[in-house]
Amino acid sequence: MKPALPSSPVPPVAPRRPTALTLHGETRIDDYFWLRDKDDPATIAYLEAENGYAAAVTAPLKPFEDALFEEMRGRIKEDDASVPYRLAGFYYYSRFETGRQYPILCRKPIGADGGWQDAAEQVLLDVNALARGREFMEVGEFEVSPDGRWLAFSTDGTGFRQYRLQVKDLATGKLLKFRRERVTSVAWALDSATLFFTTEDRRTKRSNQLWRHRLGADGDTLVHEEKDERFNVDVYLSRSEGYLFHQIGSHTSGEVRYLAADKPDGRWRVVARRRAEVEYTVDHRGDEFWIRINDTGRNFRLVKTPVAATGREHWQEVLPLRSDVALEGIDLFRHFLVRHERVRGLNQLVVTDLRDGASHAIAFDEPAYSLGVEANAEFDSTVYRYGYESMSTPGTVYDYDMATRVQTLRKRRPVLGDFDPARYASERLWIAARDGVEVPVSLVYRKDRRGDGPAPLWLEGYGAYGMPNDVYFSSGRLSLLDRGVVYAVAHVRGGGDLGQAWHDAGKMASKMNTFTDFIDVAEGLVARGYTAPDRLAIEGGSAGGLLMGVVANLRPELFRVVVSEVPFVDTLSTMLDASLPLTVGEYEEWGNPNRREQYGWIRAYSPYDNLAAQPYPAILVKTSLHDSQVMYWEPAKYVARLRTLKTDAAPLLLVTNMGAGHGGASGRFDRLREVAFDYAFVLDRLGIGR
């Protein structure tokens, strides 16, 4: 039986067990290093004590949280379904049933008239059944064999992102005895009997081995083991089904190997050997490979080469490097090419008819939006399916006929209730950072709730790995907007929002730009009258949680409340531990602190090491016990130490999901409950009640 919550909550006090960490002439005393030991009963006791304290502090907000949850759930069409896509004689789709947490993955045969509605449904996977008796369930790989007979799928039942691969006979509905652990990617050969898969190292979780398995065989054949600890491996089948590709890549360079998909026992060959600071990807069409590569500049160019002669001397440039346009990817079809490009922070799609070379762009008219690739499984197709959304437009699926240029809206995610997108306005601002560089900022708000004075404002940031922090629609977020909150996204350096140069300007020795950009954006929004420091909430997760930790140390008076999710806040110690997942591979993002100069880069901002005796905003820190990317102990140590230093009475809460991983809860309603908790806490701190 759990003890009753105290009537007057008292913050937990983690015991101090000093550990001396010495390097480069500096000794750091870490009083909470011991929290790394998950098997120590004191560790779990501390996490549970923090959960109990957070529950006690927020108990008065529980009715508000419940109301927010019901409000947000009420906007969801619970029995919704995805738009079916065609592949090898079937339509594939997923659907939800009312009241159930997880999707059901299905298919129907394509009718003689090309329809599907009247055909019998075949359930391939019911994720609700897989999740029975578990707190967490996620499907990773989902690959049907070319003949449609077998389904290779992987599942994670803890949130640690450790996936088990299984194969299901879709003719009988039975699972084969075949089981493989720690699988990271899967691809079928054309014989529908040979399966290639990659696995991760048990200690570091680096994807490092490629295997071949023949259905019915007892064992597997190791095809390749990548020894360089900076590199991860992946395997996939081209849309053309002509070749299997084995992608080997680090944060800054890569190599692709290929194998004819109808010769699974053949020899893998290299397209272009890896070179420092050169990344590339490969696709296939006819007798050519098409290569997107950054060998002449950071924004990538496009070349093609004969399959029979992939040496650089045979490359033919299709699209040169452009300084103002980032080539983010391509989709290749029998007669068409779709380029994914980014111009001044916004996505665009450019379609080329490969029969005559004519190109055109698909136009979008909102000031801030994002595009996503939908399932385009068939190679011989004139229809391109993509997703579109903005901060005020729900996720929308379009089919675009690349030959006729006719666009068809296939589905817009329904938002139940009285939602009207015309009530909301989006803006795109550019705010000058302290070095004169302009940083893009995306905002959304409800028009009739936007007064003349400073508004409560929620500012989100990320800024790492060259990943664009694209805007998205959230029906849950309407609960903020409808209460007068302005929601903003700061597209700070370190992300890929303005191409690879934007990433370069916010990593390694330049990492501090990420943090000062965010502060400058916040100050710019205050100066322009959008908000005020006592009305400003900030939020970020993972590397965005690192951002939250740094800016809270640097400018605590600028923010009213901070939400820090699975935050990478013990940066220096983590990057010094090569046994942890991700560490060695990420030397190319953060630096290698075993080198004195690079130690100094990270030491200057590592949030845990720079906590100070000063007032802090209200801070909500969230983590998960089974997180494999940012270990639970980072936020736990951060909160334990901050409790001993902060000089104010503002709430400091640590909430640990004891049954999930890096992404939090897996069930759609469980996840919504977590959001409702966050919103209730933040809105209360901003002085906004129910």
Side-chain angles (χ1 to χ4, degrees):
M1 180 179 295
K2 292 184 178 180
L5 294 175
S7 55
S8 298
V10 176
V13 176
R16 292 185 173 186
R17 304 178 189 173
T19 298
L21 306 171
T22 301
L23 187 64
H24 302 311
E26 179 187 34
T27 297
R28 294 177 296 133
I29 303 300
D30 189 346
D31 290 329
Y32 307 104
F33 190 86
W34 64 271
L35 282 168
R36 293 165 53 106
D37 186 359
K38 190 187 292 188
D39 295 327
D40 185 340
T43 297
I44 301 302
Y46 172 67
L47 297 177
E48 290 179 338
E50 286 285 2
N51 279 349
Y53 173 68
V57 169
T58 60
L61 298 177
K62 192 64 169 64
F64 189 22
E65 175 194 330
D66 292 342
L68 286 167
F69 173 77
E70 294 300 332
E71 184 179 296
M72 292 188 287
R73 181 170 179 169
R75 298 191 188 102
I76 297 174
K77 187 177 187 298
E78 294 194 17
D79 58 348
D80 205 5
S82 67
V83 180
Y85 67 90
R86 296 170 60 110
L87 177 62
F90 290 92
Y91 280 107
Y92 290 84
Y93 60 98
S94 63
R95 61 179 177 83
F96 281 96
E97 293 181 347
T98 301
R100 305 187 81 183
Q101 293 260 33
Y102 297 96
I104 301 170
L105 310 179
C106 311
R107 73 178 181 184
K108 290 184 179 182
I110 298 174
D113 61 352
W116 72 289
Q117 286 88 345
D118 297 329
E121 177 181 84
Q122 181 182 13
V123 173
L124 306 182
L125 284 182
D126 182 348
V127 186
N128 299 281
L130 296 175
R132 192 169 296 128
R134 295 180 177 273
E135 293 185 59
F136 186 95
M137 176 52 61
E138 183 175 70
V139 174
E141 296 298 307
F142 184 89
E143 296 291 339
V144 177
S145 60
D147 65 1
R149 169 73 183 272
W150 310 99
L151 169 64
F153 70 98
S154 64
T155 55
D156 170 19
T158 67
F160 196 63
R161 296 192 177 181
Q162 182 173 308
Y163 292 89
R164 167 182 290 176
L165 176 64
Q166 298 175 265
V167 175
K168 183 176 183 179
D169 185 340
L170 298 180
T172 65
K174 295 182 179 179
L175 293 173
L176 303 188
K177 292 182 179 179
F178 173 82
R179 302 281 193 283
R180 295 296 182 270
E181 303 295 335
R182 300 179 179 273
V183 170
T184 55
S185 65
V186 174
W188 289 97
L190 284 192
D191 63 4
S192 295
T194 305
L195 191 64
F196 290 90
F197 61 94
T198 56
T199 58
E200 65 185 17
D201 180 81
R202 290 181 177 275
R203 181 175 63 92
T204 66
K205 287 187 67 66
R206 180 176 66 93
S207 183
N208 67 328
Q209 293 179 326
L210 172 65
W211 300 85
R212 183 180 67 238
H213 173 82
R214 188 166 184 85
L215 296 186
D218 292 332
D220 310 316
T221 300
L222 178 63
V223 176
H224 172 241
E225 180 173 7
E226 178 56 41
K227 299 293 188 179
D228 191 324
E229 292 189 76
R230 298 171 300 163
F231 288 78
N232 286 270
V233 303
D234 188 19
V235 66
Y236 61 95
L237 177 66
S238 66
R239 181 183 287 111
S240 67
E241 295 190 335
Y243 287 88
L244 290 151
F245 291 116
H246 176 34
Q247 184 89 39
I248 308 167
S250 75
H251 282 286
T252 62
S253 63
E255 178 177 290
V256 178
R257 303 179 182 185
Y258 64 97
L259 176 71
D262 61 352
K263 296 179 173 60
D265 294 325
R267 176 187 170 195
W268 290 79
R269 299 179 182 275
V270 177
V271 175
R273 297 207 174 275
R274 68 189 75 175
R275 293 166 55 186
E277 304 299 323
V278 175
E279 304 168 78
Y280 72 95
T281 57
V282 181
D283 206 345
H284 167 251
R285 174 180 178 263
D287 59 359
E288 295 175 325
F289 288 145
W290 290 58
I291 305 170
R292 169 185 164 268
I293 188 166
N294 66 351
D295 57 342
T296 60
R298 296 293 286 146
N299 277 349
F300 289 85
R301 64 176 178 139
L302 184 62
V303 303
K304 63 181 180 180
T305 189
V307 170
T310 65
R312 295 174 187 270
E313 67 273 16
H314 300 289
W315 291 6
Q316 176 186 347
E317 188 168 78
V318 177
L319 186 69
L321 174 76
R322 293 158 295 170
S323 62
D324 58 342
V325 180
L327 178 62
E328 293 192 323
I330 65 169
D331 278 309
L332 197 57
F333 299 87
R334 185 177 300 281
H335 298 302
F336 294 92
L337 166 70
V338 179
R339 304 198 312 259
H340 299 260
E341 300 182 341
R342 187 173 294 268
V343 182
R344 282 185 64 78
L346 293 176
N347 305 117
Q348 68 177 25
L349 298 175
V350 180
V351 179
T352 300
D353 188 328
L354 297 174
R355 293 167 295 189
D356 61 14
S359 297
H360 67 277
I362 303 175
F364 307 98
D365 57 7
E366 290 191 90
Y369 59 85
S370 62
L371 305 177
V373 179
E374 295 289 319
N376 290 283
E378 295 187 317
F379 183 64
D380 192 6
S381 176
T382 65
V383 175
Y384 186 72
R385 178 170 292 175
Y386 70 93
Y388 173 93
E389 62 186 308
S390 74
M391 299 173 87
S392 55
T393 302
T396 307
V397 177
Y398 288 104
D399 278 351
Y400 184 80
D401 192 304
M402 296 179 283
T404 66
R405 305 189 185 186
V406 173
Q407 181 162 275
T408 303
L409 190 156
R410 295 300 308 273
K411 180 183 177 65
R412 177 160 288 157
R413 179 173 294 174
V415 180
L416 305 185
D418 64 349
F419 170 69
D420 179 358
R423 292 178 185 154
Y424 305 90
S426 291
E427 295 182 22
R428 182 83 155 182
L429 306 177
W430 294 83
I431 293 177
R434 61 195 63 186
D435 60 1
V437 172
E438 289 197 324
V439 179
V441 185
S442 302
L443 302 97
V444 65
Y445 51 85
R446 181 162 160 165
K447 297 174 185 176
D448 61 348
R449 301 294 171 89
R450 181 83 175 91
D452 294 331
L457 189 144
W458 183 304
L459 179 62
E460 169 198 325
Y462 185 72
Y465 303 111
M467 294 176 59
N469 192 16
D470 287 329
V471 301
Y472 61 95
F473 180 84
S474 165
S475 62
R477 188 192 296 141
L478 298 174
S479 292
L480 298 178
L481 306 184
D482 290 349
R483 288 172 171 82
V485 176
V486 177
Y487 194 95
V489 178
H491 304 279
V492 296
R493 281 176 281 186
D497 306 77
L498 293 177
Q500 289 302 309
W502 199 248
H503 176 209
D504 295 341
K507 71 172 189 178
M508 302 292 280
S510 300
K511 187 61 198 172
M512 193 61 74
N513 285 335
T514 301
F515 316 126
T516 55
D517 279 0
F518 191 87
I519 290 170
D520 294 342
V521 164
E523 290 183 329
L525 291 170
V526 171
R528 296 187 189 199
Y530 283 92
T531 190
D534 64 349
R535 311 207 78 189
L536 180 54
I538 60 173
E539 180 263 334
S542 195
L546 162 65
L547 171 60
M548 296 299 103
V550 175
V551 300
N553 281 340
L554 293 176
R555 292 294 305 280
E557 80 288 352
L558 186 55
F559 315 110
R560 173 69 175 174
V561 56
V562 180
V563 179
S564 189
E565 300 182 270
V566 291
F568 181 35
V569 284
D570 192 17
T571 321
L572 184 57
S573 290
T574 290
M575 293 306 298
L576 281 167
D577 189 346
S579 70
L580 294 176
L582 307 181
T583 294
V584 174
E586 299 205 353
Y587 287 162
E588 296 173 322
E589 176 71 20
W590 313 100
N592 180 355
N594 293 293
R595 301 174 180 175
R596 180 183 293 273
E597 180 188 23
Q598 297 180 21
Y599 178 96
W601 299 345
I602 301 171
R603 178 67 176 85
Y605 63 75
S606 178
Y608 181 69
D609 297 287
N610 287 281
L611 290 170
Q614 63 183 1
Y616 279 84
I619 300 178
L620 170 60
V621 180
K622 305 186 74 178
T623 188
S624 296
L625 186 63
H626 303 306
D627 194 337
S628 63
Q629 291 177 263
V630 178
M631 298 299 180
Y632 72 88
W633 64 71
E634 291 201 37
K637 288 171 56 179
Y638 171 82
V639 169
R641 184 163 190 245
L642 182 54
R643 285 205 190 285
T644 69
L645 292 171
K646 67 194 298 286
T647 60
D648 60 273
L652 171 61
L653 305 181
L654 172 65
V655 176
T656 304
N657 187 324
M658 306 298 281
H662 196 63
S666 56
R668 56 176 175 162
F669 301 127
D670 290 342
R671 177 58 185 151
L672 207 59
R673 174 64 72 179
E674 291 183 338
V675 174
F677 179 89
D678 298 349
Y679 282 9
F681 179 77
V682 171
L683 289 171
D684 178 69
R685 299 308 301 175
L686 295 178
I688 302 172
R690 178 172 179 178

